[in-house]
Amino acid sequence: MRDHLILKLQGVMQAWGEHTFEGLRPSTNFPTRSALAGLLAACLGIDRNDRKQQQALADSFLYAVRQDETRWSVIKMTDYHTVKDAREDYVGLKSHETIITQREYLLDAAFTVAIWNTEGAAYSLDALQTAVCKPHYTPFLGRRSCPITRPLFDCRVQAVNSDEALKLVEPVAGVIYSEDDLPVIAGRNKQRHRVRDVPLPNQPRQFASRMVYVYGKDNAHVSE
């Protein structure tokens, strides 16, 4: 059996950014590893420039997230912002021009996250639980304009894997995006997607790739 920390990510607006450049800021359909690591780091009080502790935290956990089925449909919205001092290599623009950026948000989304420790983790689930229950910095759902609408902490559960852990938490239905490579279960689909959302603390704003296993949806995409 394995110990799992269960978090709930609920808010009117959420934004889980993909790897992108200046003008288009898309959102994936689920919380990315970099975003979740940032949320936990904020709760722990780890500063952005503390690269050693950022890396220690990133190496301390794996996770699975379920996009919970609700009575309403999740909508992806595009908002527009103007940005000054656009970088020179932004297509068709020179340095210091003002550009319009497109930023995507998920509306009315709800996620259940199961987190478990890696071997030799520097940050235990006990430490993470304490932090999310009493965060050092204010947590938000991807962007500061996306506040949480309920406490992050939900419960702790014991289960053989993340799939079984999520089954212990209501609602039990929804697509699961996981770092657990589990056997295929009869009647349920399994797909693999390579995503680029692993933060590299020693290379700010650079990301490595990982494999995400998607359970429970035909032709699932990490971004739609």
Side-chain angles (χ1 to χ4, degrees), residues 96-155:
H96 306 304
E97 286 198 46
T98 300
I99 65 171
I100 296 176
T101 66
Q102 303 176 50
R103 304 189 184 198
E104 290 184 342
Y105 296 87
L106 303 179
L107 304 185
D108 297 325
F111 298 98
T112 300
V113 182
I115 298 173
W116 61 97
N117 274 143
T118 57
E119 185 175 354
Y123 289 92
S124 67
L125 291 190
D126 288 338
L128 297 181
Q129 178 179 334
T130 298
V132 297
C133 289
K134 191 175 181 181
H136 183 89
Y137 297 120
T138 301
F140 46 85
L141 301 176
R143 295 192 182 116
R144 287 192 175 89
S145 57
C146 304
I148 61 175
T149 55
R150 59 146 289 167
L152 293 171
F153 176 71
D154 189 76
C155 62

Side-chain angles (χ1 to χ4, degrees), residues 59-121:
D59 294 339
S60 291
F61 73 92
L62 295 171
Y63 81 108
V65 56
R66 180 181 65 214
Q67 183 174 334
D68 296 331
E69 289 189 2
T70 60
R71 294 174 297 153
W72 50 86
S73 299
V74 177
I75 299 172
K76 184 172 284 188
M77 178 192 77
T78 300
D79 193 17
Y80 298 91
H81 295 250
T82 55
V83 176
K84 292 184 177 181
D85 300 327
R87 287 171 282 186
E88 190 169 355
D89 51 356
Y90 183 77
V91 177
L93 294 173
K94 297 179 181 179
S95 180
H96 306 304
E97 286 198 46
T98 300
I99 65 171
I100 296 176
T101 66
Q102 303 176 50
R103 304 189 184 198
E104 290 184 342
Y105 296 87
L106 303 179
L107 304 185
D108 297 325
F111 298 98
T112 300
V113 182
I115 298 173
W116 61 97
N117 274 143
T118 57
E119 185 175 354

Side-chain angles (χ1 to χ4, degrees), residues 167-182:
K167 287 179 180 178
L168 298 174
V169 184
E170 295 288 341
V172 297
V175 181
I176 296 174
Y177 303 86
S178 179
E179 293 183 308
D180 251 349
D181 183 7
L182 303 175

